[in-house]
């Protein structure tokens, strides 16, 4: 069941192609009452209602005020189990999303030219992602000095010889997303850039070696390496 503002109903049904029941609400309606009524129509008239832990407070509070028949609890244990344990089909979709992003990054890397802006590179990345069958989610491109800041800089940057290029990109494949960062230097890297890159690379190697050792007695998660 999807509860949505009435003006969003066409997008939900046609653009997003969401299956199942859609219950729209207008400005004069109480959307939380729509949720409660949906539960009642399904025979759930009282008891526990578990919500995903990142649901915003005004929604939790609104559902609680709409009816005293339900006890709102965190659905974190259930949600975490669903997210942490993946079926082979889910893993395949996640791998496909990663493959699309990696292929798009390789394509973009070979086509960057002097004078290009972050927006130019981001647009190229999104186009490549679409061509490869993914739906772009984000394409953060940080150039030069901006690559040293978590979310870049408002100062315009352009590619030149020796530019540091950091890309943080992700796409969606049937609801499963990639999130991959890669860093390289346009043209020849100087001594300082190579030293920083090798330091980060060695740090990641140590982390992977440690994870491999721990995996013998537990779980390990592999992380990505920078691309020079």
């Amino acid at each position: 069941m999807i509860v949505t503002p009435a003006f969003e109903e066409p997008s939900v049904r046609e653009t997003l192609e969401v299956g199942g029941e859609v219950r729209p609400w207008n400005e004069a309606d109480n959307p939380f009452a729509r949720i409660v009524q949906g539960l009642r129509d399904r025979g759930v008239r009282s008891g526990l209602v578990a919500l995903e832990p990142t649901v915003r407070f005004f929604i939790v509070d609104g559902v609680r005020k709409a009816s005293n028949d339900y006890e709102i609890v965190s659905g974190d244990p259930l949600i975490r189990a669903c997210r942490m344990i993946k079926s082979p089909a889910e893993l395949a979709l996640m791998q496909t999303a990663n493959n699309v992003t990696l292929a798009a990054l390789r394509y973009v890397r070979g086509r960057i030219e002097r004078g290009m802006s972050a927006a130019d590179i981001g647009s190229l990345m999104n186009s490549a992602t679409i061509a490869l069958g993914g739906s772009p989610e984000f394409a953060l491109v940080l150039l030069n000095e901006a690559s040293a800041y978590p979310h870049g800089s408002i100062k315009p940057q352009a590619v030149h010889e020796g530019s540091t290029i950091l890309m943080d990109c992700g796409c969606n494949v049937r609801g499963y997303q990639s999130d991959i960062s890669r860093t390289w230097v346009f043209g020849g890297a100087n001594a300082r850039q190579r030293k920083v890159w090798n330091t980060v690379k060695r740090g990641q190697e140590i982390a992977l070696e440690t994870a491999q050792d721990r995996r013998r007695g537990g779980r390990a998660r592999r992380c990505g390496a920078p691309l020079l």
Side-chain angles (χ1 to χ4, degrees):
M1 180 184 70
I2 305 296
V3 177
T4 180
F7 72 88
E8 294 282 12
E9 185 179 5
S11 297
V12 171
R13 292 185 184 275
E14 300 167 15
T15 305
L16 300 180
E17 297 182 348
V18 173
E21 181 186 359
V22 177
R23 297 196 178 201
W25 57 276
N26 292 296
E27 291 187 7
D29 300 325
N30 182 341
F32 310 111
R34 287 280 198 276
I35 296 173
V36 169
Q37 189 59 51
L39 292 172
R40 290 173 177 164
D41 290 346
R42 285 162 173 73
V44 182
R45 301 191 173 278
S46 64
L48 300 178
V49 174
L51 297 183
E52 203 274 340
T54 61
V55 172
R56 288 175 289 179
F57 176 76
F58 82 90
I59 298 176
V60 178
D61 191 50
V63 173
R64 184 181 290 120
K65 290 177 179 177
S67 175
N68 295 322
D69 297 327
Y70 304 99
E71 180 183 352
I72 307 298
V73 298
S74 171
D76 190 49
L78 176 62
I79 298 299
R80 285 178 59 83
C82 290
R83 288 176 174 168
M84 294 172 66
I85 302 173
K86 303 297 183 186
S87 70
E90 288 179 305
L91 291 173
L93 287 170
M94 293 171 67
Q95 186 61 61
T96 299
N98 284 329
N99 292 344
V100 167
T101 296
L102 287 170
L105 282 166
R106 294 189 185 100
Y107 176 87
V108 169
R109 182 171 182 252
R111 288 162 177 77
I112 292 179
E113 301 176 353
R114 289 176 179 81
M116 291 181 72
S117 67
D120 294 331
I121 299 172
S123 178
L124 187 62
M125 180 67 190
N126 287 337
S127 297
T129 297
I130 293 171
L132 289 163
S135 176
E137 287 290 322
F138 56 93
L140 177 67
V141 182
L142 305 181
L143 303 176
N144 308 319
E145 179 186 353
S147 68
Y149 305 131
H151 296 287
S153 168
I154 61 173
K155 181 180 178 181
Q157 303 283 340
V159 175
H160 55 71
E161 183 70 22
S163 282
T164 297
I165 302 173
L166 187 156
M167 295 185 65
D168 182 7
C169 307
C171 76
N172 184 308
V173 175
R174 296 188 179 181
Y176 291 83
Q177 296 183 1
S178 61
D179 185 349
I180 298 176
S181 297
R182 289 294 184 266
T183 303
W184 68 92
V185 175
F186 180 80
N190 61 36
R192 172 62 176 167
Q193 289 169 323
R194 290 187 178 278
K195 179 179 179 181
V196 172
W197 190 89
N198 286 325
T199 298
V200 174
K201 181 174 181 292
R202 182 54 190 149
Q204 293 191 338
E205 289 172 346
I206 292 172
L208 288 173
E209 291 164 4
T210 302
Q212 292 291 334
D213 290 340
R214 293 187 62 186
R215 188 163 58 183
R216 295 184 179 90
R219 296 176 302 186
R221 179 181 178 184
R222 184 175 180 83
C223 58
L227 171 68
L228 181 61

